[in-house]
């Protein structure tokens, strides 16, 4: 928000409000007089001032307290033959159809969402339910999904798969390093609609 302020030494100025940060911007020729001051004779002072201002702005920016904004990957996602429930701690993968019903394929815990930009990223999780493991997975191993083109209503999701390669990782760090788009693990995406 920008609004006019009272005059300063006979010259008007503007107050620029950005979040909780308020600072005054001098205008209408006042800046030219300031720049003629001996303190600003070298470009170094200007550079320092800009660096300090940048630091104040960055530090003053607040991250949202609630990660579940309109474009959050958390929630229930339904596709033609699959359904994903992504919660803060747990993950559930179902197969079936919306008309015939859903059967739990596997469930996991220790969910870790790693955004890559605002509209894409990875969801990592660990198999901790021995009764509901993915094919070939062992309890304690890690797996991943990749999502892209995330909106409030839909996204595209792919499960990690690469012919002839290990699909599961021994730990989270290994999953982050190996189960990536760049390593060829995500190529077959399904479009899903958010239902919750």
């Amino acid at each position: 928000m920008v609004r006019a302020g009272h005059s300063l030494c006979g010259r008007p100025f503007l107050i620029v409000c950005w979040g909780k940060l308020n600072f005054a911007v001098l205008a209408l020729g006042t800046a030219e007089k300031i720049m003629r001051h001996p303190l600003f004779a070298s470009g170094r002072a200007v550079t320092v001032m800009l660096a300090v201002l940048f630091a104040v702005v960055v530090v003053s920016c607040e991250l949202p307290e609630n990660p579940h904004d309109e474009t959050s990957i958390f929630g229930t996602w339904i596709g033609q033959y699959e359904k994903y429930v992504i919660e803060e701690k747990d993950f559930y993968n179902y197969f079936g159809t919306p008309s015939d019903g859903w059967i739990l394929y596997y469930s996991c815990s220790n969910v870790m969402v790693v955004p890559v930009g605002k509209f894409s990223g990875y969801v990592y999780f660990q198999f901790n339910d021995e009764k509901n493991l993915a094919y070939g997975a062992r309890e304690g191993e890690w797996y991943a999904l990749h999502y892209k083109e995330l909106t409030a209503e839909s996204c595209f999701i792919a499960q990690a798969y690469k012919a002839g390669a290990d699909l599961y990782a021994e730990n989270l760090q290994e999953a982050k390093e190996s189960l990536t788009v760049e390593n060829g693990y995500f190529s077959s995406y399904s479009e899903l609609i958010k239902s919750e």
Side-chain angles (χ1 to χ4, degrees), residues 93-105:
N93 181 1
Y94 298 84
F95 66 90
T97 65
S99 58
D100 296 333
W102 301 102
I103 299 171
L104 179 63
Y105 175 32

Side-chain angles (χ1 to χ4, degrees), residues 47-65:
T47 304
V48 170
M49 279 188 54
L50 289 175
V52 169
L53 178 60
F54 178 77
V56 168
V57 169
V58 170
V59 170
S60 299
C61 293
E62 295 182 7
L63 295 175
E65 294 178 10

Side-chain angles (χ1 to χ4, degrees), residues 162-193:
K162 185 177 180 181
D166 291 332
L167 301 181
Y168 311 110
E170 293 296 321
N171 53 62
L172 177 59
Q173 187 60 35
E174 181 185 332
K176 288 180 176 181
E177 292 173 358
S178 61
L179 305 178
T180 66
V181 172
E182 292 76 16
N183 288 340
Y185 275 89
F186 302 97
S187 57
S188 181
Y189 289 84
S190 300
E191 184 174 10
L192 294 105
I193 304 300

Side-chain angles (χ1 to χ4, degrees), residues 67-73 77 118 150-153 194:
H68 303 275
D69 61 14
E70 291 182 357
T71 55
S72 171
I73 191 63
W77 299 90
K118 185 167 175 60
L150 175 66
T151 70
E153 295 86 26
K194 195 169 194 177

Side-chain angles (χ1 to χ4, degrees), residues 5-74:
H6 300 289
S7 63
L8 180 67
C9 299
R11 299 196 180 274
F13 67 98
L14 302 174
I15 299 296
V16 179
C17 303
W18 185 33
K20 294 182 179 178
L21 179 65
N22 296 324
F23 57 92
V25 177
L26 300 177
L28 301 177
T30 305
E32 183 180 343
K33 287 185 177 181
I34 291 174
M35 294 306 291
R36 289 183 188 162
H37 191 278
L39 178 63
F40 294 93
S42 71
R44 180 177 291 166
V46 174
T47 304
V48 170
M49 279 188 54
L50 289 175
V52 169
L53 178 60
F54 178 77
V56 168
V57 169
V58 170
V59 170
S60 299
C61 293
E62 295 182 7
L63 295 175
E65 294 178 10
N66 183 5
H68 303 275
D69 61 14
E70 291 182 357
T71 55
S72 171
I73 191 63
F74 292 104

